[in-house]
Amino acid sequence: MTIVREAARPVGARPRSTSGHHAMSYGFVVPYTVLAAVFGVFPALYAVFLAFTDGEGGFAGAGNFAKVFGDFRFLPAVGHVATFLLAWLVALVVLVTSLAIVVHAIRVRWLSRALRLVFYLPGAVAGASSVLLWLFVLDPTASPVAGLLRLAGFTSFNQVIAPGNLPPIFAVIAFWTGAGGWIVIMYGALNNISPDMIEAARIDGASAIQIAWRIQLPLLRKWISYMGIMSLAAGTQLFVEPQLLSQASNAVVPNDYSLNQLAYLYAFQQNDFNAAAAVALLLLIIALALSAVFVTRGGLFERD
């Protein structure tokens, strides 16, 4: 094999050096690695250290976790986050995938581009600003959809944001801010599907629904898994939405609604950073376990 390669090389030509390419690759990787270590790995390791020590630095074993599990606020916060995640992930998987397929099926180019822009625009609004915007949308006295809110029986802001209504409200806010970017990503993934495969299916008599169900959805499985993992990582960190609603509603929404809020209270109101670290570590374990389900069921690392 070496002889053939040498023979194929023009006389006098020097072998290509890959050292320059390697140096450039390291130049891209090193800054990310440093930032990931400083702002990701080291804080996580420090949180692990705090979770298993007491306020004086002594080994506490599972004491901090026992304190968190015994807190009357912990299980309700777990339920709130779990309900929100379920509503949000179902909406993402079903609606984002469906909308991406519908937009991809539109043959009018300008209309397809316009729809993608409209879907993406809400994601350009920062998270906290988006919640402030929704404060007006959810207020029947100032909302542009006040008629719909009154038709649903809501006459005041506090009625709308009653604790029982919060999981779907947070799911709608999260979907509104994040779905557009995922629709664009799914649209790009659909563009990678061979047009010849789609055309062959049409020639065989497959309808648009059959093409979506039997060809597009299976080929989007890895992208859906990736969306689920990233959304889980963001969803378990629910904090800004309930925190701002709690302040705007004069504590109608409790300030310990989510696990992140509970960790915040431990750290900055009770000065118990060890219990806060235990909550953070529990969130990490839950997110990793759920992400493992998406990885294994979605075949994210399988080779085609």
Side-chain angles (χ1 to χ4, degrees), residues 21-39:
H21 296 285
H22 289 167
M24 185 178 296
S25 301
Y26 294 142
F28 283 110
V29 172
V30 168
Y32 171 80
T33 304
V34 172
L35 291 174
V38 172
F39 296 104

Side-chain angles (χ1 to χ4, degrees), residues 7-18:
R9 185 180 301 151
V11 177
R14 295 181 179 179
R16 293 183 179 180
S17 175
T18 58

